[in-house]
Amino acid sequence: MKLQFKKVFRFLFWFGVFCASGAVMVFAAGFLYLSPQLPSAESYRYVQLETPLRILTADHKLIDEIGIRRDPIPYEEIPPMMINAVIASEDPRFYSHSGVDVRGLLRGFYGFVRGINLGGGSTITMQLVNNISFDSDSVYSRKLKEIPFALRIQRELSKEEIITLYLNLIYFGSGADGINAAAYAYYGKPINELELHHFAMLTSVLPCPSPCNPIADPARAQTRRNVVLKKMYDQGMITREQYEKAIITPDDARRHSRRIEVSAPYVAEMVRQELYREYGEDIYRKGFEVTTSILSENQLAADKALSYGLENYYDKRHGYRGIEGHVSPPAGEDATNYWLEALQSRSTIGNQVAAVVTDVNERDIQVIREDGSTLAISWEGLSWAAPFVDRGNAWPRPQRASDIVEVGDIIRIRQEDETRWSLGQIPELQGALVSVSPDNGDILALSGGYDFALSQVNRATTARPPGSGFKPFVYGTALENGYTPATTINDAPFARGEYRPRNFENNFIGPVTLRNALANSRNIPAIRLYDQLGSELVLPFAKRFGFRTENFPRNDLTVALGSQDVQPLEMAIAFATIANGGQKVEATLIKEIKTVDGNIPLPVQAVACGDHCAELPLSEMPAPQIVDPRISYILASMMRSVIEEGSGRRVNREIKRQDLMGKTGTTNGPAELWFSGFNRNVATSVFVGFDQPQPMGESEQGATVPVPIWIDYMKTVLADTPERAPERPDGIVDRLIDKNTGKLARPGQSNTMFELFMQENAPTEMDASGKLSAPDIEDVPSIETIF
């Protein structure tokens, strides 16, 4: 019996040795096979530097972050209590094992066989492996590589590096990768400002970040948080006092948006598209940080001016289109819950907040908002809401609040100031405002629509007919070809085949100077001028300013009236080129690009340097002089007359400055309305129209909507800045002329003005007889010129 027992024992012993040796050999072979396929240490050290695409204003305020939130921090900035919480919950033997916890694996396997939960066997190092490699591998291949990779990481990185990498990469839910991003996502603070109960809560979401986080399921998350706190206490990481205080502390997690300081989504999307064309998916992985030319104060002013203008200068004037819906709770039920439920699916659009009417009085109403708060809207905020009939009519005027709404109506409201609210509605009209620097083409502000969430179409880069806003380039062509502002052209009936254009006022005034014709936006003189010059002169001239005239029809007289599509951004750059004396600048949005690899070189920027081009840094070059600076100056002075005497007079009334010039634009219908204007520092173009072109109402024109929007913006950005008109170049002379005939006038003659001429084109005949020589300009009493 003893002999038989010894034989069995010997057999089992050698069988065990054989199996163990085989296992070691298989493991060694597998390790040798897999080892070359494992990433190097540098490749996963580098991962922690990955951040989403960050887009900043010129004054370094955050416009947007695009991609998974990740805000990596070094080991020294991670609170020790946060590290303890993670170790207590995820890997208690973290500091003692070699990357793979054999005991943990065996315990997990035993629990799996028994059908009970004894905890997983995956260490922090192994979880890190899952987060940084083998994305394209099958699940089995990943598992095979996981253990040798964890062992390698353990050999090549310190424990501090491993925990830092883990906490900067692991997903915490709510779109946050890494502990600092998670702190902002849930609590709106950096990780070093959080407390023990926060650390435990963040740790508790790691096994199931989407369904278990405190926003998705607060009660479940609270229970899991307390489990983490108990583990920390059991392992001696916190005192009983700390444990008891933390476990009764209510959690204050709520959804925090990214730390946007200047909301400019149309700008952000322009940047993203430009970068993606050049660098592809790397923009979301390699820590791209882009500084734009956007000035934060200008951008805020642009958004405010455009949204306010669409709401108040057009939409409210055309009547109330009605409620968005109605909630009728079952009889006997509490209506409040039904009202709040109806509001859950209606987000704020622009300035328009969703609300439900809870009470209607004679001349005021009570409403409830999504958060359950209530407020009153007085008759002052209701009386505008005459029912919309069509684009030209809104009637009858309401006499009482019940003429407008009833209890249970879902409406929009907007805040007028700190205490007053009014009835609102989401505008159907859309628009754009784009503002650039004449010095270098930098885009200072750009708003591409009422609300990016409502429509992602960027109207600042969408081409539409500019109407009379294109006329300055017809007149500029004329100046380049021997005409002067005093040249007269006949405002009389004109026909070319079946084409019989008319003026906006439906009248004719006979011979008119080019200055007066442009100031009053007369259509017939512009068409006659275009007919005399021909498309072979006008289109190349306009092309120099950045318009894509290769797509314009030839010998089509409607081009003179702005019938061909251009972008508001192109208009702003073209007017900026006039403002700077004729040096063609290019629209520039991206000023600097940083990545984990360093700065990316950008193209040299063309600048309007005038007489100072020798002093430019290497990053700049002189912008090409595309037109005689005298032509630009005279053309700018003609657009000053638009502000003083023409369709832009409202600018002159509301902004008390002498350095502003511009031109309105109104198309047939009218379907599009424009105003583009400038001084030497800022050029701004405003466009409004429906996305699907349709008439806006017969009473509308460039002066009614885009001009006041332009005024609101420019008032803000030019406040407290000195006046700066375009600089007068050499080779221009002043002559006293008759305003109506354009001919030279005698000193003391009535209805005269000093006109600007290029020296070679100055007139030499008197108005009265033509026999007297022109007066010496030095003998005429000095008066202010047009600027």
Side-chain angles (χ1 to χ4, degrees):
M1 192 70 177
K2 275 188 177 182
L3 183 61
Q4 188 176 5
F5 176 77
K6 287 182 178 180
K7 286 182 179 180
V8 172
F9 179 78
R10 188 180 300 115
F11 171 78
L12 292 175
F13 173 77
W14 288 111
F15 180 76
V17 171
F18 175 78
C19 289
S21 301
V24 170
M25 292 174 64
V26 169
F27 180 80
F31 185 84
L32 291 172
Y33 171 74
L34 294 172
S35 185
Q37 302 178 38
L38 305 180
S40 65
E42 287 307 309
S43 67
Y44 41 80
R45 278 198 182 101
Y46 171 77
V47 175
Q48 68 178 327
L49 298 177
E50 292 183 5
T51 59
L53 168 63
R54 289 171 53 84
I55 301 169
L56 309 174
T57 64
D59 41 341
H60 294 94
K61 294 183 178 179
L62 183 64
I63 292 175
D64 204 357
E65 285 183 347
I66 302 175
I68 292 291
R69 292 186 187 182
R70 183 176 289 142
D71 190 6
I73 55 176
Y75 178 80
E76 294 74 22
E77 294 182 19
I78 303 173
M81 198 62 78
M82 180 68 223
I83 295 174
N84 287 342
V86 171
I87 290 175
S89 177
E90 298 296 308
D91 190 359
R93 287 172 23 86
F94 174 71
Y95 287 110
S96 60
H97 63 64
S98 59
V100 177
D101 188 354
V102 177
R103 283 165 51 184
L105 288 173
L106 291 174
R107 183 179 65 251
F109 180 73
Y110 178 73
F112 173 76
V113 172
R114 294 285 308 277
I116 58 177
N117 183 12
L118 297 178
S122 186
T123 64
I124 285 176
T125 313
M126 293 170 70
Q127 291 180 50
L128 176 61
V129 166
N130 275 325
N131 276 272
I132 61 178
S133 278
F134 317 131
D135 289 339
S136 60
D137 287 358
S138 69
V139 64
Y140 301 108
S141 179
R142 286 172 61 93
K143 288 297 182 183
L144 284 172
K145 295 176 181 179
E146 190 174 294
I147 292 176
F149 191 12
L151 294 172
R152 168 178 281 190
I153 287 179
Q154 193 70 46
R155 291 198 315 270
E156 295 181 339
L157 299 182
S158 67
K159 291 289 186 179
E160 289 76 15
E161 288 176 311
I162 291 170
I163 196 68
T164 302
L165 196 54
Y166 175 82
L167 287 175
N168 277 320
L169 289 177
I170 199 74
Y171 183 59
F172 284 85
S174 285
D177 270 4
I179 191 62
N180 211 36
Y184 278 109
Y186 292 113
Y187 302 108
K189 302 175 183 178
I191 189 64
N192 58 16
E193 293 183 15
L194 300 187
E195 300 177 12
L196 172 59
H197 66 96
H198 295 126
F199 301 144
M201 178 63 81
L202 292 174
T203 300
S204 74
V205 308
L206 292 177
C208 51
S210 295
C212 301
N213 72 62
I215 294 174
D217 192 338
R220 183 182 182 186
Q222 184 99 345
T223 301
R224 295 175 63 86
R225 179 201 73 171
N226 293 344
V227 170
V228 174
L229 289 168
K230 182 65 164 58
K231 288 181 178 180
M232 295 179 72
Y233 174 68
D234 289 344
Q235 294 174 41
M237 294 177 172
I238 57 175
T239 65
R240 184 168 191 83
E241 182 183 356
Q242 289 175 308
Y243 169 70
E244 291 177 348
K245 178 182 178 183
I247 208 166
I248 63 171
T249 303
D251 188 65
D252 55 348
R254 63 182 179 85
R255 192 177 303 280
H256 287 80
S257 60
R258 298 173 191 262
R259 293 162 287 157
I260 305 302
E261 297 172 276
V262 177
S263 179
Y266 292 100
V267 171
E269 181 60 12
M270 287 175 68
V271 171
R272 189 198 67 80
Q273 289 182 12
E274 185 172 341
L275 291 177
Y276 192 86
R277 283 192 295 269
E278 186 71 22
Y279 306 106
E281 294 291 330
D282 280 352
I283 66 173
Y284 309 122
R285 295 194 295 254
K286 290 195 172 181
F288 274 65
E289 183 175 279
V290 179
T291 301
T292 67
S293 54
I294 297 295
L295 298 179
S296 58
E297 293 302 320
N298 293 49
Q299 183 62 41
L300 294 172
D303 289 336
K304 182 178 179 181
L306 183 63
S307 62
Y308 183 87
L310 294 175
E311 291 169 350
N312 292 278
Y313 301 140
Y314 182 85
D315 199 65
K316 289 176 72 171
R317 291 196 295 108
H318 288 262
Y320 186 52
R321 294 185 298 278
I323 63 174
E324 291 190 3
H326 184 82
V327 183
S328 299
E333 295 281 348
D334 182 6
T336 302
N337 291 334
Y338 287 89
W339 292 337
L340 294 177
E341 184 179 353
L343 293 173
Q344 293 300 312
S345 60
R346 285 178 163 83
S347 59
T348 298
I349 302 295
N351 298 316
Q352 305 294 328
V353 179
V356 173
V357 179
T358 61
D359 191 23
V360 178
N361 301 309
E362 180 71 13
R363 290 219 159 190
D364 67 79
I365 63 174
Q366 300 286 323
V367 301
I368 188 170
R369 292 179 290 181
E370 181 187 3
D371 61 2
S373 61
T374 61
L375 53 89
I377 298 178
S378 69
W379 186 245
E380 182 185 7
L382 295 170
S383 59
W384 68 269
F388 170 85
V389 177
D390 55 40
R391 298 296 176 202
N393 296 283
W395 64 277
R397 305 298 300 180
Q399 302 303 309
R400 59 189 64 83
S402 59
D403 293 340
I404 306 167
V405 295
E406 61 183 67
V407 172
D409 283 349
I410 302 172
I411 61 173
R412 294 282 172 169
I413 59 175
R414 72 181 301 273
Q415 190 165 12
E416 301 294 344
D417 55 36
E418 291 184 1
T419 59
R420 293 184 306 117
W421 287 75
S422 67
L423 177 68
Q425 63 186 356
I426 299 170
E428 292 182 336
L429 190 72
Q430 281 286 359
L433 186 155
V434 57
S435 185
V436 303
S437 167
D439 287 328
N440 52 18
D442 279 358
I443 299 175
L444 307 177
L446 184 146
S447 186
Y450 179 72
D451 189 300
F452 188 78
L454 182 67
S455 170
Q456 288 77 55
V457 175
N458 188 348
R459 291 130 194 117
T461 56
T462 300
R464 296 287 289 269
S468 297
F470 186 75
K471 287 177 182 175
F473 304 96
V474 178
Y475 285 82
T477 307
L479 295 177
E480 192 172 66
N481 286 276
Y483 292 71
T484 75
T487 301
T488 57
I489 196 160
N490 199 15
D491 183 5
F494 178 94
R496 182 62 53 82
E498 295 184 359
Y499 181 55
R500 287 171 170 77
R502 61 184 180 87
N503 292 310
F504 181 82
E505 299 83 357
N506 275 322
N507 64 359
F508 304 97
I509 59 175
V512 59
T513 64
L514 296 194
R515 179 180 292 277
N516 289 336
L518 181 61
N520 294 288
S521 203
R522 306 293 293 182
N523 289 339
I524 303 303
I527 288 173
R528 286 188 183 277
L529 193 59
Y530 188 90
D531 189 43
Q532 293 172 16
L533 295 166
S535 59
E536 62 274 12
L537 291 179
V538 176
L539 298 188
F541 181 86
K543 185 178 179 66
R544 280 182 260 157
F545 286 82
F547 297 117
R548 303 173 194 182
T549 57
E550 63 272 13
N551 301 320
F552 289 14
R554 269 53 184 168
N555 303 314
D556 182 347
L557 295 176
T558 66
V559 171
L561 304 183
S563 63
Q564 303 306 302
D565 292 347
V566 302
Q567 300 175 3
L569 180 56
E570 292 172 342
M571 287 290 283
I573 288 294
F575 278 69
T577 300
I578 296 171
N580 69 31
Q583 289 190 270
K584 177 62 172 65
V585 292
E586 302 294 336
T588 301
L589 182 57
I590 295 176
K591 300 293 285 185
E592 183 181 49
I593 303 175
K594 295 179 181 178
T595 73
V596 291
D597 299 321
N599 284 23
I600 293 178
L602 295 176
V604 175
Q605 186 174 16
V607 299
C609 45
D611 298 329
H612 308 288
C613 294
E615 305 166 7
L616 294 180
L618 294 177
S619 60
E620 297 176 347
M621 66 179 182
Q625 188 75 48
I626 62 166
V627 68
D628 190 320
R630 298 177 298 169
I631 292 172
S632 287
Y633 185 81
I634 294 172
L635 187 58
S637 82
M638 293 170 71
M639 284 191 277
R640 175 63 192 165
S641 294
V642 174
I643 303 299
E644 292 183 334
E645 305 169 7
S647 54
R649 290 188 299 273
R650 183 169 177 173
V651 174
N652 213 33
R653 291 197 305 269
E654 297 194 25
I655 307 182
K656 305 301 183 182
R657 300 174 66 108
Q658 303 302 309
D659 61 341
L660 300 176
M661 306 108 210
K663 184 69 188 76
T664 54
T666 306
T667 64
N668 288 337
E672 293 88 10
L673 304 177
W674 296 72
F675 185 73
S676 301
F678 58 91
N679 72 354
R680 181 58 184 82
N681 292 330
V682 184
T684 302
S685 184
V686 176
F687 154 79
V688 298
F690 294 103
D691 284 342
Q692 298 299 320
Q694 57 182 284
M696 298 168 59
E698 290 184 1
S699 64
E700 303 297 348
Q701 52 183 299
T704 60
V705 185
V707 164
I709 292 174
W710 189 92
I711 289 170
D712 288 347
Y713 170 76
M714 294 293 276
K715 257 186 183 177
T716 301
V717 301
L718 294 179
D720 302 321
T721 64
E723 293 192 8
R724 189 185 177 201
E727 298 165 10
R728 176 168 174 155
D730 295 335
I732 290 178
V733 296
D734 302 78
R735 292 290 184 263
L736 189 68
I737 67 165
D738 183 290
K739 280 188 175 182
N740 293 331
T741 67
K743 294 183 179 180
L744 285 173
R746 297 183 180 88
Q749 181 178 323
S750 63
N751 198 35
T752 60
M753 65 172 289
F754 274 94
E755 185 56 274
L756 305 175
F757 298 89
M758 289 193 287
Q759 199 161 19
E760 62 272 25
N761 294 334
T764 57
E765 293 185 2
M766 293 294 292
D767 179 41
S769 64
K771 295 180 180 179
L772 298 174
S773 60
D776 187 339
I777 196 70
E778 293 181 359
D779 297 332
V780 178
S782 176
I783 65 173
E784 251 183 272
T785 63
I786 197 68
F787 291 131

